[in-house]
């Protein structure tokens, strides 16, 4: 069977462990014939991500904290796909009332979860010399009030707006920019959200498909966006959430 990403090189930011959505994306990209490059946030994750990278045959695995200098990204050579799978908010800002969000907590969530997409786009767009696909991960809390998502909901709203502005500008370079809105998935980041297991139960009961989202389903959407099949899609938010977002009462 032909592989959908043959000949393409993908940079994937945001693998923390084998439960990370970015890891599922890396697996799917390798399955489809892409050459992959992985980054991890800091020393704490180094061994795990280097081991995962070795298993997947990643051509490079290196540290990249998006709040710091991103010049190393600019030195990577030609890229076709960039996956931004990064977000952070202080745990206390995901449990106390939203109105009590601290200034520092708000700015931190915006910096790591939103500005980083702009910074990554700036560093990598010049490397997408044949055009390319930049994608990020978002959540329904950007447009709906979801209990305990708080400061991260506002960050995801900003992220989705950043996707549209980047898509508007980078389209002339044949670079497409999209967000995948994933249903809730048990990962390290999700564990920061209070009562996350209750959210999983509720979604499985209410979603049209009556089940939760599997990371491999999100990864296959990333394959679609990164491949030539997604060539006409940019500036959009594509849902992979068992259809939960369409439901009202
Ligand atoms: P994850 O495995 O914890 O991935 C989040 C990644 O962001 C981690 O690798 C984390 O590293 C990294 N990160 C945080 N601060 C960073 C920084 N300053 N520089 C570089 N990397 C940094 O969780 P995930 O659920 O797969 O999250 C990936 C993306 O999917 C996030 O944008 C998240 O909001 C989104 N998403 C998740 C869900 C869900 O239910 N899980 C649903 C929809 C969207 P550390 O571990 O070192 O912090």
């Amino acid at each position: 069977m032909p592989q959908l990403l043959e000949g393409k090189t993908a940079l994937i930011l945001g693998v923390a462990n084998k439960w990370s959505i970015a890891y599922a994306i890396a697996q799917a990209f390798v399955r489809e014939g892409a050459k992959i490059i992985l980054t991890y946030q800091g020393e704490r994750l180094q061994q795990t991500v280097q081991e995962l990278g070795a298993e997947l045959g990643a051509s490079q695995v290196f540290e990249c904290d998006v709040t710091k200098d991103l010049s190393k990204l600019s030195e990577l050579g030609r890229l076709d796909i960039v996956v931004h799978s990064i977000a952070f908010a202080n745990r206390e800002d995901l449990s106390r009332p939203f109105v009590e969000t601290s200034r520092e907590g708000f700015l931190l969530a915006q910096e790591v979860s939103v500005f980083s997409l702009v910074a990554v786009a700036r560093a990598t767009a010049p490397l997408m010399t044949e055009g390319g696909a930049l994608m990020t991960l978002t959540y329904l809390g950007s447009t709906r009030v979801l209990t305990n998502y708080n400061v991260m909901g506002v960050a995801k709203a900003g992220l989705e707006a950043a996707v549209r502005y980047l898509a508007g500008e980078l389209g002339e370079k044949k670079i497409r920019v999209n967000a995948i809105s994933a249903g809730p998935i048990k990962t390290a980041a999700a564990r920061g959200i209070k009562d996350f297991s209750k959210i999983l139960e509720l979604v499985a009961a209410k979603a049209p498909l009556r089940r939760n989202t599997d990371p491999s389903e999100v990864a296959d959407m990333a394959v679609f966006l990164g491949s030539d099949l997604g060539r006409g899609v940019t500036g959009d938010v594509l849902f992979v959430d068992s259809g939960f977002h369409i439901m009202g009462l």
Side-chain angles (χ1 to χ4, degrees), residues 35-39 53 57-62 72 75-77:
K35 182 174 133 188
I36 61 161
I37 301 167
L38 303 182
T39 72
S59 64
Q60 289 186 60
V61 180
F62 62 93
K72 195 151 180 215
E75 295 159 12
L76 287 174

Side-chain angles (χ1 to χ4, degrees), residues 142-221:
S142 59
T143 53
R144 309 277 177 86
V145 176
L146 301 182
T147 309
N148 298 330
Y149 204 57
N150 300 1
V151 70
M152 191 49 74
V154 178
K156 291 303 191 192
L159 181 72
E160 291 173 16
V163 162
R164 290 186 284 274
Y165 277 91
L166 288 170
E169 277 184 14
L170 297 176
E172 64 182 5
K173 296 188 168 122
K174 297 193 175 60
I175 298 172
R176 297 177 289 106
V177 188
N178 291 286
I180 304 173
S181 189
I185 296 170
K186 212 179 229 170
T187 62
R191 275 201 292 274
I193 298 162
K194 201 172 144 217
D195 296 332
F196 188 74
S197 47
K198 283 195 196 141
I199 297 173
L200 287 175
E201 278 171 33
L202 191 132
V203 168
K206 298 266 178 200
L209 296 181
R210 303 288 191 278
R211 60 173 176 79
N212 276 295
T213 300
D214 190 89
S216 67
E217 298 167 336
V218 180
D220 283 345
M221 177 62 88

